Every structure is written in structure tokens, then in C-alpha cells.
Amino acid sequence: MSSTAVVNRKIEYSESENRNALIAVKAHLILGLAVLLLMMLAGLTMRAVQGTWLEIGADLFYQIMTVHGVGVVGAAGIGSTGVLWYFLRQYVRLSNTIFWINFFVFVAGVVMLLGSIFLGGYGGAWTFLYPLPGKSMGVWSTGAAAVFQLALLIIGTGFLILYLDMGRGILASFGSLSKALGLPQLFGRVPVDTTHPPTVVAGTMVLIVNFLGIAAGAVVLVMGLINLYNPEFQPDALLMKNLIYFFGHVFINATIYASVTAVYELLPRYTGRPWKTSKVFYAAWFAIVFMVMAVYPHHLMMDFPMPRWALIVGQVLSFGSGIPVLVVTGYGALMIVYRSGIQWSTTTKLLFLSMFGWAAGVIPAILDAMVTVNRVFHNTMWVPGHFHFYLLLGLLPMMFGFIYHLTGEGRQGEQPKAADNLGFYAYLIGAFLTSMVFLASGANSIPRRWATHMAEWVTFAQVGTVAAALVVLGMLVFTFRALFSLPKAAEPR
């Protein structure tokens, strides 16, 4: 007899399977937190260098910049996967073994990345834009560039294996991806089922876009590796850039769509109100499947050989890409919380903060997608302002809120501890100021990715350093809370 059975739409697992799964989820979250904390310290270091409060060599600065970029994206990926997998396995049968394989593959890739950067000297940024990895002017070796790209390829392979297992589970439980997305309900072929799990819809969307995004990344990484050792092989640079930005843009955006399952699953528990799906909900998620994959050309507007139609599509869809899911998720969160008598624990404050961060963080991106703004702002600090807002105040609070939920905070009348309140408000103020300083810097034409700043830019960097220190303070509280409470936490009921 199988160890699982579908009861009231939920999958029942054996006690040993649940125990192993919970350990695996905790491992993903703790690893993600640890990497994020280190990357925030790296970001603090860079701001201090730009603010002339710390002096390091330019080579080391660009190595730190490289590990910061790839580390934040990777940590967001592994952490958000832990969130999505935890909730998705309640509706579809998922393999603990595959989940662990992804974890250890990720760890192996991280070790390789660190070696390529700090031992090999690679400092070509996470984007590894062709042909830079092979033309370092002696700053790093071909081997270092190859290990960096091979590490990304290995990490991507781990995620692809995991998504194949998710796809298998979704197909086994729902019959097709379209049914999992709710498309028969959307187009009137079957009646609307308001109890269809939002997590399944979100998980299916993430599966589709990230599988294609990572596959594109694998193609460009293989071509880059071939070029490193066979320079006569010279792929089209614009094609390479398109594949890189398609891969990177899809992957980092998918992290927030994976993590939003924490909002769908947890806010109803804390408010006592169900999150009902509808045709509008299905339409929003169906639209975002295409929008997430099609908006990346707004990063290539200064590449004049790009086809005009691609830039137009990228600009138009960028304007509307935040609307579909934000409308249904943001509005849904407001309606669930309104007059619900919700207890404002650290868990619920973080989850609700994420709605603000997601909604507000997309506004600078929409502005940057305008050609007239993009041509002035895109290579300035405006862009880090957008994605720091989006990640620090949107994505990460979803992950942190889920971690607090797992530790048991907020249930049985438990009030936030003084340290939790300190961490929350230090993080909130620091993250908001960090983002605003970046945006103000971009509005004043301060370029991004520069190790050395001109005298008139230094004040911005110094204020940004103080703001980053507040973020690190809040992050330290969250991390210590997780390290001390998460390993011994039981399965929440």
C-alpha cells in the first residue's frame, strides 16, 4: 500500500516522510539565511568602500560585487524553493530524495563559486556577459572563469531535476499543467472551484517559467564554456546577452512568485478566512506566465541591434507585468486582513510588509522600462534601488515570515519578543533607506558597479552604508532566531 493518499485534496505522508521533509526544508531555509547574511555583509562592505570609510583594492571590490550578485540570487532561489516545496507537497506527491539532491548540488556549486572568485580572482559580475569571462586582461585565469560558469551550470541542473519532480507530482495529481493553473475553470469548460489551491497555481507557474529560464541559462553557459577553451567558436554576442538576461530575469522574478505561497497559505491561518480562487485569480497567473518571460528586453534597450518589436514588447509588458498578480494578491491580502482581528505578530507583520514591498518595488522598475528614462537611468544606482526594494521589502519578508511561522511565533497568544521587534523595525527602516538612497543616487546620475566614487557621490554612499548597517542588524536578529529556534521546531499544526 502506498504511503500517501489524497484526503480532502491534501496529500497524507508517513510520519518519517514528514519528519525528513521538515528537516530538508529547514536546511534550505538556514542555508539561504546564512548566505543572505554574508551577502548583506558584502554589500555593506562595498557601500563603505564607496563612502571612503574602508579601503580595499579594486580587484577585491569587483570580486565582492560578483559574489554579492550571484549569492543573493542563489540564496533567494534556495530559500524560496524551500517555501514553495513545503506548501506544494501538501497538494502533490513530491520526493524528499530529489529535494535533498538539489540541496547538496547547490552546496557543491556554492563551493565552486567561492573558489573561482576568491581563489581564482574572477570578478566579471554574476551576468558573465560574453566575451568578458575570456578577456580578463590577466586579472583572472580561463580556469577561474570556467569554474564560475560550470558552478552555475551545476546549480541550474539541480534546480531542473527538482522542477521535473514537481512537474511529475503536479501531473499525477491534476492530470495536466493547464488544470493545475485553473485554465478549464478560467475559460468556462468546468465550474469555478474556489477551493482550488492557490499554491498549486503559483507552483505550476514557477515550474513553467523557471524550467525554461534555467534551460536557456544552461545553453548560454555551455556556449560560454566552449568559447573559453576554443576561442575560434564565437557565438553571437547579442544572442548570448539575450539568453543571459532571459535566464537571470526569469530566475530572480520566479523567487518571489514561489515565496508568495507563504502569503496564500499563512494569512488565512492567522485571520481565519479562506483564500478563495476565482476566474480573475486564474487569469492573473496565466498572464504572468507569459509576462515574466517576455519583459526581460527592458534590460537591453541600449543595445541598438535589438529588434524594435522585442524592445516594444519588453517595454509594454513591463508597464503591466506587476498588475495581474499584484492586484489579486495585494487586494486579496487586504481583504483577508480587513477587520479580521488578526494578531500582529512578527510573522504576520513580515507577511503583510511583503505585499507593500512587492507593490512599491515594482514602480521604479516600470519607470526604468520607459525608453526616455532608461537611456539615462539604467546604468546608474537606480537599478539597484529597484531590485533592493523588491528583494529586501518584498521577497525576503515572505521567507522570514515563513521561518517565524515554523518556529511557532505568533501562535497560542505568544507576543513578539523585544529582540524580534528590534529586528523587524531595524530591518524595515534600513531596507527602506537603502533602497531610497540607491534611487536618489540614480536620480543624481551616480553609476552602478564603480569601485571608486567621485567626491560629490561619497555622501550618498555614506548614508547608504548606515542604512545597510541597519539591514544587517535586523538580519542578524532574524538569523539568530532561526538558528536557535528552527532546528528544534516541530511541524506547525
Side-chain angles (χ1 to χ4, degrees):
M1 182 176 178
S2 173
S3 61
T4 63
V6 180
V7 178
N8 295 328
R9 202 189 292 274
K10 291 288 184 83
I11 300 289
E12 286 192 349
Y13 293 84
S14 68
E15 184 178 345
S16 62
E17 286 177 317
N18 280 331
R19 185 166 54 250
N20 181 271
L22 185 59
I23 293 171
V25 168
K26 290 175 181 179
H28 278 69
L29 294 172
I30 290 173
L31 177 61
L33 269 182
V35 175
L36 283 168
L37 177 59
L38 291 174
M39 294 308 101
M40 289 178 181
L41 290 170
L44 174 61
T45 299
M46 286 190 290
R47 294 306 271 156
V49 170
Q50 292 169 337
T52 69
W53 286 346
L54 182 65
E55 186 175 345
I56 62 175
D59 287 354
L60 179 57
F61 179 91
Y62 291 115
Q63 291 169 23
I64 293 174
M65 185 189 75
T66 299
V67 79
H68 178 73
V70 74
V72 167
V73 174
I78 201 71
S80 64
T81 298
V83 177
L84 173 61
W85 191 87
Y86 176 85
F87 290 117
L88 185 61
R89 74 182 295 270
Q90 298 175 22
Y91 305 100
V92 305
R93 171 66 175 171
L94 298 179
S95 167
N96 290 356
T97 301
I98 296 296
F99 195 47
W100 276 116
I101 288 174
N102 179 59
F103 176 82
F104 288 114
V105 168
F106 182 85
V107 171
V110 168
V111 172
M112 292 174 65
L113 287 173
L114 292 174
S116 70
I117 294 170
F118 293 113
L119 297 180
Y122 181 77
W126 77 265
T127 47
F128 56 93
L129 285 176
Y130 169 82
L132 176 59
K135 297 183 181 295
S136 70
M137 300 180 68
V139 177
W140 59 80
S141 66
T142 298
V147 171
F148 182 87
Q149 295 185 64
L150 184 60
L152 292 181
L153 186 60
I154 289 172
I155 290 172
T157 301
F159 277 105
L160 284 177
I161 293 171
L162 180 65
Y163 288 132
L164 284 173
D165 184 58
M166 287 184 179
R168 177 205 53 76
I170 290 171
L171 291 176
S173 293
F174 293 90
S176 69
L177 297 181
S178 66
K179 289 180 180 178
L181 281 171
L183 299 188
Q185 300 176 54
L186 171 62
F187 295 112
R189 293 197 291 270
V190 299
V192 174
D193 177 7
T194 59
T195 66
H196 186 73
T199 291
V200 172
V201 178
T204 305
M205 172 266 172
V206 171
L207 161 67
I208 294 170
V209 302
N210 237 2
F211 190 90
L212 295 175
I214 294 173
V219 170
V220 74
L221 284 165
V222 169
M223 288 197 292
L225 285 166
I226 294 173
N227 170 260
L228 286 175
Y229 290 101
N230 182 19
E232 293 181 359
F233 174 74
Q234 297 182 0
D236 182 81
L238 188 60
L239 171 63
M240 296 284 279
K241 189 172 184 179
N242 272 266
L243 288 172
I244 289 170
Y245 275 98
F246 175 75
F247 152 63
H249 197 269
V250 166
F251 187 87
I252 192 60
N253 271 269
T255 60
I256 201 164
Y257 291 108
S259 297
V260 79
T261 54
V263 176
Y264 290 149
E265 294 284 344
L266 298 184
L267 278 186
R269 301 187 192 187
Y270 287 95
T271 61
R273 297 173 174 175
W275 196 298
K276 296 181 179 180
T277 50
S278 63
K279 284 192 174 184
V280 174
F281 184 89
Y282 299 134
W285 278 95
F286 185 50
I288 212 67
V289 168
F290 302 98
M291 287 184 169
V292 164
M293 293 190 290
V295 300
Y296 80 92
H298 68 224
H299 288 281
L300 288 81
M301 286 183 175
M302 288 185 286
D303 292 275
F304 60 88
M306 277 290 291
R308 183 181 295 269
W309 65 265
L311 297 179
I312 292 173
V313 169
Q315 179 169 3
V316 171
L317 291 183
S318 294
F319 292 161
S321 63
I323 295 175
V325 174
L326 279 178
V327 167
V328 297
T329 304
Y331 179 77
L334 286 172
M335 292 301 98
I336 280 185
V337 169
Y338 181 65
R339 291 188 175 181
S340 67
I342 188 173
Q343 177 185 341
W344 288 108
S345 62
T346 308
T347 303
T348 50
K349 286 191 291 187
L350 284 165
L351 292 174
F352 206 70
L353 171 63
S354 71
M355 293 294 93
F356 162 73
W358 193 7
V362 77
I363 295 173
I366 293 173
L367 292 174
D368 188 52
M370 299 172 64
V371 174
T372 53
V373 176
N374 186 276
R375 63 190 296 184
V376 179
F377 279 11
H378 197 71
N379 277 335
T380 71
M381 292 286 195
W382 183 272
V383 175
H386 146 58
F387 58 69
H388 277 82
F389 204 126
Y390 186 77
L391 294 177
L392 291 176
L393 293 170
L395 167 64
L396 298 190
M398 295 178 188
M399 291 172 51
F400 299 153
F402 174 59
I403 290 171
Y404 268 79
H405 170 75
L406 285 184
T407 64
E409 190 269 350
R411 294 189 297 279
Q412 299 176 349
E414 179 187 351
Q415 296 298 316
K417 299 178 176 61
D420 293 332
N421 283 324
L422 170 64
F424 176 81
Y425 289 108
Y427 182 86
L428 169 60
I429 295 169
F432 185 77
L433 286 178
T434 295
S435 305
M436 291 297 104
V437 171
F438 274 130
L439 292 173
S441 300
N444 282 273
S445 299
I446 299 177
R448 56 178 171 146
R449 297 175 178 162
W450 281 33
T452 303
H453 276 203
M454 297 175 65
E456 55 267 36
W457 304 341
V458 168
T459 301
F460 288 93
Q462 291 176 343
V463 176
T465 304
V466 175
L470 284 174
V471 175
V472 170
L473 174 61
M475 186 65 179
L476 283 170
V477 173
F478 296 153
T479 303
F480 283 125
R481 170 78 172 201
L483 290 177
F484 286 109
S485 302
L486 198 54
K488 60 185 178 182
E491 182 79 33
R493 298 297 178 187

